[in-house]
Amino acid sequence: MTAMLSLSGVSTFYGAVQALRCVDLEVNQGEIVTLIGANGAGKSTLMMTVCGSPQAREGTIRHEGDDITRMPTHAIMRRGIAQSPEGRRIFGRMTVLENLLMGAEAAGRTDSEATLAEVFELFPRLKERIGQRGGTLSGGEQQMLAIARALMSRPRLLLLDEPSLGLAPLVCRQIFGAIRALNRRTGLTVLLVEQNAFQALRLAHRGYVLVNGAISMAGTGAELLARPEVRAAYLEGAHA
Amino acid sequence: MTEARTQSAFRDAGLSALIALGLFAPLIGLVTENGDNGLTLRARPIAVAVVVVLVFAGRLLMLTRAPGPPVPRKPATNEALRRAGQAVAPALLVFALVLPLGGSRYYVDLATLVLTYIMLGWGLNVVVGLAGLLDLGYVAFYAVGAYSYALLAENFGLGFWTCLPLAGILAAFAGILLGFPVLRLRGDYLAIVTLAFGEIIRVVLINWVSFTHGPNGITGIPRPTLFGLAFSMDGGEGTFAGFFNLEPETIQRVTFLYYVILALALLTNWFTLRLRRTPLGRAWEALREDETACRSLGIDVTVTKLTAFGIGAMFGGFAGAFFATRQAFISPESFTFIESATVLAIVVLGGLGSQLGVALAAIVMVGGLELLRSFLSFLAEQMGSELFAGIANELPLYRMLVFGLALVVVMVLRPRGMVSSRAPTILMEAR
């Protein structure tokens, strides 16, 4: 079976600075895979490299068997990949409904009716706020909106960049719960970049640890949670 | 109020008065006059004193007036304002439709000028207001449209109605041409390159003498016809007056031109309002909000930007063709940076993205300025007294000062423009 997403030997540079060093990573159909690491380890860079901005200088990225390494971003995002970017980046002056429609229309979908009902089922709060401007939502609601907007294109692979950033633990659990529910119900494949390693590893089937742009450890969520070096580096003081 | 605050207010006001004295002593205090032996200087201490006292009093008033707590607007007031706002656009439209019936050539001419700027404003609104691409060289497309019509008419004898779409298409091409090099630029850098583009077009028009007649411009540009009926003064067969058995008058042509630009402007408005509700229109607005997010959603940013430049430029081209046919004469002098700046000011003053705001701002900026000029002239005529003798006849010259002040006041009170609310492109009930 071909993997949903596979990176082999991927290196990315910002000018002369190397941000990713020969990364190998695989995400299989129906999996939740998490990528944890410290600030500046290259987590977001890896996610953006998958999206083709910046493009990988070396190595190959395959999506469902096809080489997407040199594709322009918008072409990659129309292949059934959707991204909820770091820092949410919702459209502040546009309403919740408009934000959601952008997610569908940008991917060339016009039959958004049913999808809209599904994301409202997942995040009922958004339905209450449907006519409100995105910028007036709370942080948690904005994160929900960012994920819902990504889901509007009916992706098979969802890329989530730090969905727990700046959220209260309760809201954070709601969001992670929604991701798990989605994965169980629809078999959506998820690649999750997280700082909140404890929750991310509990949620994920498998995980990778990124250190200085290179993968230093890989394994199932439970395995990584049990490793003392992971506990020391990323889980100090984290209890949930 | 405390003693210390009063003191500091007086000190501040004194300082402002001093600055005013320094500024206005040469500006207002000295005036040149044609005397017997050439130019002579005359001092006007009273005029300067008046201005300085005004500045002192104004500053003092501003500082000593205790700032009260902000009064929250009642929801009922908000609702009433919204209702009133909805009535403004239809009222303006009706007013625009019946305006020529007043029969005053002065007002019809002025309204035609205002409508030209409204159309330019609406065109630029697509680029700056919706797509958020700061364009300081919009006049380039206005020029391309005007010269397209003038040159096609001169060289191939084509009429206005044939050339109108061609002028639009050529301007749109110019827009896309500009779009390509600036695709990767944002904000200030984009503004500088568009500014340069506007200048390039103007300089080319001046220097390519064999093609554009250079600074001499193009004369005798044909007027538009009404289904083949010309508006000429001879009143013969095949003219408007002759066909309807009327006495040929200039006002007929002026009125016709007015309705042409009204129709063109309304077409621009309708087209833009429709586009806003399409995926493309929403993509423009999303681009204005966040380009990175647009990319991550799968929007083709290149296409989105180029269509915005192209469509915005097309409307500029239409307006340019109309300008050429109305003036019957164009030269590069009509397409200077000040035009770009005026149109941009209209869009920003009106409120980025708001069609109604742009219309209101154009009325205020173009119509208001002209009305202010004639009002000041009127005032000057009334002030025959000795005291104002020196000031009266140059009162109209102060219109730009008053106008600039008014713009500053508007932007301080309403920093997001006159109409800052954004109407959603889609509502749940509509689905």
Side-chain angles (χ1 to χ4, degrees):
Chain A
M1 197 181 91
T2 54
M4 173 63 78
L5 182 74
S6 80
L7 280 69
S8 56
V10 168
S11 295
T12 305
F13 294 77
Y14 291 116
V17 181
Q18 186 164 10
L20 289 182
R21 299 167 196 278
C22 202
V23 170
D24 293 313
L25 181 144
E26 203 153 274
V27 183
N28 294 312
Q29 166 72 44
E31 266 187 329
I32 301 180
V33 171
T34 187
L35 189 66
I36 58 174
N39 277 331
K43 305 186 300 290
S44 293
T45 303
L46 191 144
M47 190 151 279
M48 292 311 292
T49 306
V50 171
C51 299
S53 160
Q55 287 190 347
R57 196 176 288 178
E58 291 154 18
T60 332
I61 303 169
R62 289 182 184 279
H63 174 237
E64 294 175 331
D66 300 329
D67 188 349
I68 60 167
T69 322
R70 297 275 168 266
M71 279 190 183
T73 304
H74 65 94
I76 294 173
M77 306 318 285
R78 288 182 188 186
R79 292 179 50 94
I81 303 178
Q83 187 204 22
S84 161
E86 186 180 12
R88 298 158 204 156
R89 292 188 173 271
I90 56 158
F91 303 122
R93 289 189 73 197
M94 300 172 85
T95 63
V96 167
L97 180 60
E98 284 173 317
N99 268 279
L100 292 174
L101 283 179
M102 283 311 305
E105 287 168 354
R109 289 198 172 264
T110 45
D111 55 329
S112 40
E113 210 70 26
T115 326
L116 211 53
E118 279 171 39
V119 301
F120 283 150
E121 200 185 311
L122 196 65
F123 299 114
R125 191 76 69 83
L126 291 182
K127 188 164 189 179
E128 294 163 25
R129 303 266 187 269
I130 188 159
Q132 213 169 305
R133 288 193 292 120
T136 65
L137 300 181
S138 73
E141 288 164 346
Q142 290 194 8
Q143 186 58 59
M144 292 176 195
L145 181 56
I147 297 174
R149 185 179 65 182
L151 291 174
M152 286 300 291
S153 65
R154 295 196 153 278
R156 295 187 296 284
L157 172 62
L158 179 64
L159 309 175
L160 292 176
D161 198 342
E162 301 235 13
S164 72
L165 192 73
L167 298 187
L170 179 69
V171 185
C172 195
R173 272 201 291 280
Q174 280 176 7
I175 300 234
F176 277 44
I179 297 168
R180 180 179 288 131
L182 258 177
N183 171 263
R184 292 223 175 115
R185 192 152 18 106
T186 63
L188 178 72
T189 313
V190 179
L191 175 59
L192 172 70
V193 162
E194 256 305 331
Q195 289 250 29
N196 188 343
F198 182 72
Q199 291 216 352
L201 287 173
R202 282 216 315 187
L203 171 72
H205 300 114
R206 289 193 303 116
Y208 291 87
V209 180
L210 203 60
V211 176
N212 284 331
I215 302 277
S216 70
M217 266 178 272
T220 67
E223 271 169 29
L224 287 176
L225 268 177
R227 300 272 287 260
E229 56 268 52
V230 172
R231 295 194 77 93
Y234 305 110
L235 301 174
E236 266 324 70
H239 301 291
Chain B
M1 183 181 320
T2 62
E3 188 77 4
R5 231 188 113 194
T6 319
Q7 271 192 359
S8 93
F10 267 97
R11 203 177 310 128
D12 193 317
L15 202 65
S16 305
L18 219 72
I19 293 172
L21 180 68
L23 264 178
F24 291 119
L27 282 177
I28 298 177
L30 297 173
V31 62
T32 53
E33 276 176 349
N34 275 316
D36 298 329
N37 24 1
L39 281 176
T40 54
L41 264 183
R42 188 168 64 83
R44 293 188 305 185
I46 294 177
V48 178
V50 167
V51 175
V52 169
V53 168
L54 276 177
V55 168
F56 182 80
R59 183 71 187 158
L60 200 62
L61 207 68
M62 231 171 84
L63 289 171
T64 52
R65 202 194 49 178
V71 188
R73 230 192 258 154
K74 289 199 198 96
T77 323
N78 264 338
E79 183 61 17
L81 269 177
R82 202 181 56 81
R83 292 256 172 95
Q86 278 174 340
V88 169
L92 276 182
L93 180 62
V94 170
F95 178 72
L97 283 170
V98 301
L99 181 107
L101 302 182
S104 156
R105 162 123 200 223
Y106 171 72
Y107 284 110
V108 175
D109 263 337
L110 179 58
T112 308
L113 187 70
V114 170
L115 275 169
T116 312
Y117 278 97
I118 289 181
M119 181 161 176
L120 284 170
W122 279 340
L124 186 63
N125 200 20
V126 170
V127 185
V128 181
L130 294 183
L133 304 161
L134 185 51
D135 185 348
L136 289 183
Y138 192 63
V139 74
F141 312 122
Y142 191 40
V144 167
Y147 270 86
S148 297
Y149 171 50
L151 290 171
L152 283 168
E154 188 188 62
N155 294 319
F156 303 105
L158 296 176
F160 176 72
W161 296 107
T162 322
C163 291
L164 185 65
L166 293 175
I169 290 169
L170 285 169
F173 271 127
I176 293 169
L177 203 69
L178 166 69
F180 269 112
V182 301
L183 274 175
R184 301 164 61 88
L185 303 181
R186 294 187 201 187
D188 321 356
Y189 305 99
L190 174 67
I192 294 295
V193 176
T194 53
L195 174 69
F197 185 77
E199 284 302 292
I200 288 170
I201 296 278
R202 191 175 63 85
V203 171
V204 165
L205 290 177
I206 292 177
N207 289 293
W208 197 357
V209 178
S210 61
F211 185 57
T212 65
H213 305 293
N216 295 333
I218 300 173
T219 49
I221 300 166
R223 304 287 195 172
T225 59
L226 176 68
F227 298 111
L229 298 174
F231 286 83
S232 60
M233 286 301 105
D234 60 34
E237 279 295 299
T239 69
F240 177 79
F243 188 82
F244 290 101
N245 273 327
L246 296 169
E247 201 60 36
E249 282 178 87
T250 330
I251 187 79
Q252 291 160 359
R253 193 191 72 223
V254 173
T255 309
F256 175 63
L257 281 170
Y258 171 80
Y259 280 114
V260 168
I261 187 66
L262 181 62
L264 283 174
L266 289 177
L267 184 79
T268 310
N269 185 36
W270 177 80
F271 195 75
T272 313
L273 286 178
R274 287 294 296 259
L275 268 174
R276 251 197 93 209
R277 300 199 183 95
T278 63
L280 177 65
R282 267 195 285 277
W284 284 342
E285 288 200 80
L287 190 69
R288 178 191 66 201
E289 303 285 303
D290 194 327
E291 187 173 331
T292 313
C294 282
R295 280 182 205 277
S296 81
L297 287 180
I299 292 173
D300 189 342
V301 176
T302 307
V303 169
T304 311
K305 282 188 181 178
L306 289 183
T307 46
F309 273 122
I311 289 174
M314 181 181 77
F315 292 133
F318 288 153
F322 174 80
F323 175 77
T325 196
R326 172 173 180 238
Q327 301 287 321
F329 164 74
I330 53 169
S331 76
E333 251 172 73
S334 311
F335 307 105
T336 51
F337 172 66
I338 191 71
E339 296 297 318
S340 294
T342 307
V343 179
L344 186 67
I346 286 173
V347 174
V348 173
L349 186 70
L352 292 173
S354 164
Q355 297 289 98
L356 179 62
V358 167
L360 290 175
I363 292 170
V364 170
M365 280 201 57
V366 182
L369 189 59
E370 170 58 27
L371 291 180
L372 183 67
R373 190 194 60 79
S374 65
F375 171 72
L376 288 176
S377 304
F378 171 78
L379 213 60
E381 274 172 35
Q382 303 303 310
M383 296 199 313
S385 80
E386 278 298 305
L387 182 63
F388 295 108
I391 306 175
N393 53 359
E394 37 180 81
L395 203 51
L397 300 180
Y398 285 93
R399 69 182 194 281
M400 285 314 240
L401 188 70
V402 175
F403 187 63
L405 205 65
L407 284 189
V408 170
V409 168
V410 169
M411 290 326 274
V412 166
L413 295 180
R414 298 199 60 102
R416 304 203 74 159
M418 285 159 50
V419 182
S420 55
S421 63
R422 172 185 174 274
T425 60
I426 188 164
L427 296 169
M428 207 51 197
E429 300 92 88
R431 297 177 60 84

